Amino acid sequence: MHRLLRLCLIALIALTQTTYAQNSIAIGEFNQEVHTPYTNLHSNDVNSIIVLPNGRIFAGTGEGLEEFRDGEWILLHGGAKVSHLVNDGDILYYVSQNHNQDTISVINLKGKSLSNAPYKSSTTKITSLAVSDSILWVGRTDGIIKVEQGKNTHLDSPGTTPINDISIHDSEIAVATNDGLYIKNESGWEQVLPSNGIQRWAPMNV
C-alpha cells in the first residue's frame, strides 16, 4: 500500500513537471531600475532640483543652495531655506526664505557670484519662478511680477491665486493655479480645457 502511494506521488510530480515545461513562457531581458540614495545632503528637506545641460546638479534644501560634486553635496550658500531654482544659460536664480522674507539671488555658474538681489518680497510669499531672456517671472500668492532690468511690474493674473507654477515658451506664458491651467494670449488669459471627443473638463489644483 505504501509502495503504491509512493509510486503515485512520483508519477504525479513527473506529470506536473512535464506540463510546466510544455507551458513555460520565455521572458526577455529587461533593464533593472536602480535607486541610489544620497544621504549626505545638509538637509533632507529638498524643495527643488535642477540638472543643467552640462551635467551640473543643484538642489535647494532647508539649509540652502547645494551642488553635487564628485559624489557628494557641497553647500554653496547656507543660512536660509532655498525653495526654487531656475537657470538662464550660465546664470542661476534661486529663491531663499529667511525671516519671512523671500529673496531672489543670482549666481554666475562660471565662477563669479553676483551680489545684487534682483527682487525681494517682504510681505508676500514667492510660489514659483521662471526666467526667459534675462526676464524673471515671479509667481506669488497674489499674482505675477515681471522683473526686467531692475524694474518690477505687477501683471494681471488669471483671476485666481496662488500661482503654483510658471512656464515660458517663446512669448507665450502658461501658469498653473488651484483653479486650473491658463495661457496668456493677445486677448488675455484663457483657461486650457482638455478634451476627449465631445467631453471637456477643467483640471483643478494644477
Side-chain angles (χ1 to χ4, degrees):
M1 180 67 180
H2 292 289
R3 182 181 179 185
L4 179 60
L5 180 60
R6 286 197 297 271
L7 290 174
C8 291
L9 289 174
I10 293 172
L12 180 62
I13 293 173
L15 180 62
T16 302
Q17 291 179 343
T18 302
T19 304
Y20 176 78
Q22 292 176 349
N23 296 278
S24 61
I25 300 175
I27 300 177
E29 181 181 357
F30 65 95
N31 296 323
Q32 181 180 5
E33 183 176 340
V34 178
H35 297 268
T36 304
Y38 294 99
T39 57
N40 60 346
L41 281 159
H42 292 78
S43 171
N44 290 328
D45 178 19
V46 180
N47 305 299
S48 183
I49 295 177
I50 187 170
V51 181
L52 303 186
N54 60 9
R56 297 179 70 176
I57 304 173
F58 297 88
T61 73
E63 287 294 327
L65 177 65
E66 306 192 34
E67 182 180 5
F68 190 66
R69 298 179 189 169
D70 301 323
E72 62 178 346
W73 289 97
I74 307 299
L75 186 63
L76 300 180
H77 294 269
K81 176 181 178 179
V82 171
S83 58
H84 298 85
L85 296 170
V86 295
N87 79 292
D88 188 11
D90 292 320
I91 306 299
L92 181 68
Y93 299 86
Y94 65 95
V95 177
S96 58
Q97 301 174 345
N98 193 9
H99 301 300
N100 297 323
Q101 182 180 63
D102 289 359
T103 302
I104 299 176
S105 300
V106 189
I107 293 180
N108 189 325
L109 298 179
K110 290 186 176 179
K112 180 181 179 181
S113 295
L114 304 179
S115 59
N116 63 310
Y119 181 75
K120 292 183 178 181
S121 179
S122 59
T123 58
T124 308
K125 181 178 177 60
I126 295 176
T127 55
S128 55
L129 186 65
V131 61
S132 177
D133 297 328
S134 301
I135 301 175
L136 278 175
W137 304 85
V138 184
R140 308 195 314 179
T141 53
D142 64 346
I144 304 171
I145 302 294
K146 178 182 178 182
V147 183
E148 183 178 12
Q149 297 181 350
K151 181 181 179 181
N152 302 334
T153 305
H154 201 141
L155 304 180
D156 64 307
S157 66
T160 178
T161 53
I163 305 300
N164 299 323
D165 203 0
I166 302 177
S167 179
I168 310 295
H169 180 69
D170 294 332
S171 59
E172 193 173 61
I173 307 172
V175 299
T177 73
N178 292 345
D179 290 336
L181 177 65
Y182 292 83
I183 292 180
K184 188 176 180 60
N185 51 38
E186 295 180 355
S187 60
W189 291 100
E190 179 181 353
Q191 188 175 17
V192 178
L193 301 175
S195 62
N196 182 12
I198 62 174
Q199 295 181 338
R200 302 182 72 191
W201 65 93
M204 305 293 289
N205 297 324
V206 179

